[in-house]
């Protein structure tokens, strides 16, 4: 793992940065997640680092890099989201507020075990999302704005790169016995539902704004495109995420997707 500081320029990117606008809006909705979850991840992992003893020095060092990567992810997506607000989608911010508040509540009212397990659930989603983006979505990326594609490929490749940090932190603190396994799976399912519900709301808003200016026929075609996209991503994600439910799941054993290493090399 290493910390990279890409210099993206979002000033010329349009909200519909891919030929299939519903695809672009789906990922625009996902962009609200790192703006709020990454600061939460950093705070949780700082607590983990404090709790870990000197016997886990290598993991503590990995957490340092992990946190610095996550800060960069937050920074870049906040900048990207500002472009969306200025482009006619300022209503996103109202939908983001309760989502942001959830993380403040988790930190204030939930146990460290819950927070670490939730973080691991999100990271499992992130590594799967990276594989899907690199391996399954070429038809949607053809002709897309390269700056936006690079943002997502860089982010998701780093999510895959640091895929086992939260897993190892959870294991170091809570072991790998039956209860630890069941709690990890429960928290993973909780995270999937929590994050998925939020992104679905934002995507519905973004597509709703777009459809206000469409004819009935155009709206129908847009809805069909969205259904097709959702089915494709769901199928591609499901076969990967089901592996997280196994008691033998170990993200460290996962093989990077073709193109991830070359993409990361471009950014240092």
């Amino acid at each position: 793992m290493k910390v990279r500081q890409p210099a993206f320029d979002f000033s010329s990117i349009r909200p519909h940065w891919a030929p299939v606008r519903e695809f672009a809006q789906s990922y625009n909705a996902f962009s609200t997640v790192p703006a709020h979850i990454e600061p939460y991840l950093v705070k949780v992992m700082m607590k983990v680092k404090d709790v870990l003893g000197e016997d886990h020095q290598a993991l503590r060092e990995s957490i340092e890099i992990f946190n610095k990567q996550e800060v960069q992810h937050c920074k870049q997506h906040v900048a990207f989201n500002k472009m969306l607000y200025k482009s006619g989608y300022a209503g996103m911010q109202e939908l983001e507020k309760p989502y942001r508040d959830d993380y403040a509540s988790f930190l204030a009212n939930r146990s460290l075990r819950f927070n670490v397990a939730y973080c691991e659930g999100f990271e499992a989603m992130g590594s799967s999302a990276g594989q899907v983006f690199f391996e399954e979505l070429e038809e949607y990326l053809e002709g897309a704005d390269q700056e936006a594609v690079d943002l997502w490929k860089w982010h998701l490749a780093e999510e895959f790169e640091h895929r086992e940090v939260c897993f190892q932190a959870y294991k170091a603190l809570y072991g790998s016995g039956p209860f630890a396994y069941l709690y990890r799976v429960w928290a993973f399912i909780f995270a999937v539902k929590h994050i998925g519900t939020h992104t679905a709301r934002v995507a519905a808003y973004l597509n709703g704004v777009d459809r206000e200016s469409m004819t009935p026929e155009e709206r129908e075609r847009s809805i069909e495109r969205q259904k097709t996209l959702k089915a494709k991503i769901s199928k591609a994600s499901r076969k990967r995420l089901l592996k997280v439910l196994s008691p033998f799941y170990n993200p460290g054993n996962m093989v990077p997707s073709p193109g991830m290493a070359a993409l990361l090399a471009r950014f240092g």
Side-chain angles (χ1 to χ4, degrees), residues 133-177:
F133 202 88
F134 274 83
E135 299 175 23
E136 308 277 358
L137 301 178
E138 193 57 44
E139 64 185 285
Y140 290 103
L141 298 177
E142 183 114 8
D145 189 306
Q146 195 59 48
E147 198 84 353
V149 174
D150 283 349
L151 167 68
W152 280 109
K153 285 194 168 184
W154 158 75
H155 180 174
L156 291 171
E158 286 199 346
E159 288 295 328
F160 193 90
E161 183 179 58
H162 68 223
R163 64 194 176 278
E164 64 175 323
V165 175
C166 289
F167 179 85
Q168 293 300 339
Y170 180 80
K171 184 178 177 181
L173 292 180
Y174 306 111
S176 53

Side-chain angles (χ1 to χ4, degrees), residues 172-247:
L173 292 180
Y174 306 111
S176 53
F179 179 76
Y181 157 68
L182 291 172
Y183 193 94
R184 176 182 68 77
V185 169
W186 171 80
F188 164 70
I189 295 170
F190 181 98
V192 169
K193 183 177 180 181
H194 179 240
I195 296 166
T197 299
H198 165 70
T199 55
R201 284 197 195 103
V202 180
Y205 163 76
L206 294 172
N207 285 308
V209 171
D210 288 349
R211 289 168 187 158
E212 287 175 0
S213 59
M214 293 182 182
T215 65
E217 293 77 15
E218 288 172 335
R219 280 197 295 274
E220 189 62 35
R221 289 195 294 271
S222 174
I223 291 168
E224 283 303 310
R225 288 193 299 269
Q226 187 179 11
K227 287 181 180 177
T228 300
L229 169 67
K230 182 178 178 181
K232 182 177 181 65
I233 292 179
S234 294
K235 181 181 179 181
S237 299
R238 191 180 305 115
K239 66 183 182 182
R240 293 172 169 87
L241 291 176
L242 283 174
K243 297 176 182 178
V244 181
L245 304 180
S246 168

Side-chain angles (χ1 to χ4, degrees), residues 39-50:
Y40 163 75
L41 286 166
V42 170
K43 290 172 184 175
V44 173
M45 297 308 285
M46 286 175 67
K47 290 185 178 183
V48 170
K49 190 181 169 193
D50 288 341

